[in-house]
């Protein structure tokens, strides 16, 4: 089982460059999420999606965009990279929260993408 | 609003010591509570969970009891190992359709 796969694992960007972090899952989860992790700050939700064609903002969406054209893929795009976007980014997926069953409410995370903006 | 507060780290223990990592929460209604663990260089993975008051979640020797009266979900382990060195995150989901809210994480370092 591949689970949640993120690419790239590491990337260095210059200020103003753009890039896309890729995320794909093979568990047929309908919910997908993007978080950023900053030291001592825990995880902050950037964007999430409840299914193909549907996305919504989380706590810290500014400077990012997402799309969800398929159930499997949920790319995160940075249009004009800024030093404040230096972070570790995690993609996650889950079944619909609140459904019956032991798998509900549990997120499966990717291994993370470390992004540095200089 | 809903929030999770964890004890600050890093926590450094010797092997076989007793571990407690405190977690308290603020939420309306009846949240579900979770502990996730992040090993070095990896993503987060679920360690244990509890969905209602007085439930005890347990896994790999770790335990946490959902205490509604004290709004707490402290993580405990009787005898830690070097392999338990990781960052531990407490999290809540405030309602069935809600998103996970994470605490800031507590780094645990276990020395041989």
């Amino acid at each position: 089982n591949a689970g949640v796969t993120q690419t790239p694992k590491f990337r260095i960007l210059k200020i103003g460059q753009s890039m896309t972090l890729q995320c794909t899952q093979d568990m047929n989860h309908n919910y997908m999420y993007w978080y950023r992790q900053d030291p001592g700050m825990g995880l902050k939700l950037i964007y999430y999606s409840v299914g193909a064609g549907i996305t919504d903002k989380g706590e810290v969406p500014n400077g990012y965009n997402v799309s969800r054209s398929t159930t499997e893929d949920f790319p995160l795009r940075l249009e004009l990279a800024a030093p404040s976007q230096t972070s570790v980014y995690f993609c996650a997926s889950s079944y619909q929260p609140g459904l019956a069953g032991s798998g509900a409410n549990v997120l499966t995370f990717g291994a993370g993408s470390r992004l540095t903006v200089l | 609003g809903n929030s999770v507060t964890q004890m600050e780290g890093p926590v450094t223990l010797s092997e076989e010591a007793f571990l407690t990592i405190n977690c308290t929460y603020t939420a309306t209604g009846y949240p579900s509570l979770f502990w996730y663990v992040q090993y070095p260089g990896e993503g987060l993975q679920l360690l244990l969970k509890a969905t209602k008051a007085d439930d005890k979640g347990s896994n790999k020797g770790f335990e946490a009891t959902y205490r509604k009266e004290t709004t707490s979900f402290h993580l405990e382990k009787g005898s830690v190992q070097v392999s338990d060195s990781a960052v531990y995150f407490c999290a809540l989901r405030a309602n069935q359709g809600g998103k996970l809210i994470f605490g800031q994480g507590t780094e645990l370092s276990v020395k041989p």
Side-chain angles (χ1 to χ4, degrees), chain A residues 13-18 78-83 117-118:
Chain A
L13 284 180
K14 294 182 179 178
I15 294 172
Q17 286 186 319
S18 61
L78 286 70
E79 290 295 349
L80 290 170
V117 182
L118 301 174

Side-chain angles (χ1 to χ4, degrees), chain A residues 36-114:
Chain A
R36 60 177 287 172
Q37 182 183 30
D38 300 306
M41 301 296 291
L43 276 74
K44 300 294 184 185
L45 183 65
I46 305 171
Y47 270 95
Y48 68 101
S49 169
V50 303
I54 306 170
T55 63
D56 207 347
K57 296 177 180 179
E59 300 171 80
V60 290
N62 291 343
Y64 306 95
N65 278 300
V66 293
S67 60
R68 184 94 182 270
S69 57
T70 66
T71 298
E72 294 79 17
D73 300 308
F74 190 42
L76 177 73
R77 182 150 182 90
L78 286 70
E79 290 295 349
L80 290 170
S84 61
Q85 293 177 304
T86 294
S87 188
V88 180
Y89 292 84
F90 287 98
C91 180
S93 69
S94 73
Y95 291 113
Q96 180 177 337
L99 287 182
S102 60
N105 291 317
V106 175
L107 269 62
T108 300
F109 282 82
S113 299
R114 182 176 295 275

Side-chain angles (χ1 to χ4, degrees), chain A residues 31 33 35 37 40-43 45 48 90 94 97-98 101-112, chain B residues 32 34 36 38 41-46 49 51 87 89 93 95-105:
Chain A
Y31 278 57
Y33 314 80
Y35 289 89
Q37 182 183 30
M41 301 296 291
L43 276 74
L45 183 65
Y48 68 101
F90 287 98
S94 73
S102 60
N105 291 317
V106 175
L107 269 62
T108 300
F109 282 82
Chain B
S32 296
F34 306 82
Y36 279 80
Q38 183 182 28
E42 299 182 11
L44 281 71
Q45 55 187 277
L46 180 69
K49 65 177 182 177
T51 57
V87 181
F89 292 90
R93 187 188 300 280
N95 53 60
Q96 283 193 345
K99 297 170 284 297
L100 272 184
I101 296 171
F102 287 89
Q104 75 271 33

Side-chain angles (χ1 to χ4, degrees), chain B residues 18-73:
Chain B
F18 184 86
L19 168 71
T20 300
I21 299 178
N22 290 337
C23 171
T24 57
Y25 67 89
T26 301
T28 55
Y30 301 93
S32 296
L33 301 173
F34 306 82
W35 277 100
Y36 279 80
V37 58
Q38 183 182 28
Y39 297 105
E42 299 182 11
L44 281 71
Q45 55 187 277
L46 180 69
L47 180 60
L48 54 84
K49 65 177 182 177
T51 57
K52 61 183 187 295
D54 299 325
D55 268 1
K56 178 185 284 189
S58 61
N59 186 24
K60 299 182 181 179
F62 291 89
E63 293 183 339
T65 302
Y66 186 162
R67 301 283 189 203
K68 189 165 178 62
E69 64 276 13
T70 54
T71 61
S72 65
F73 193 54

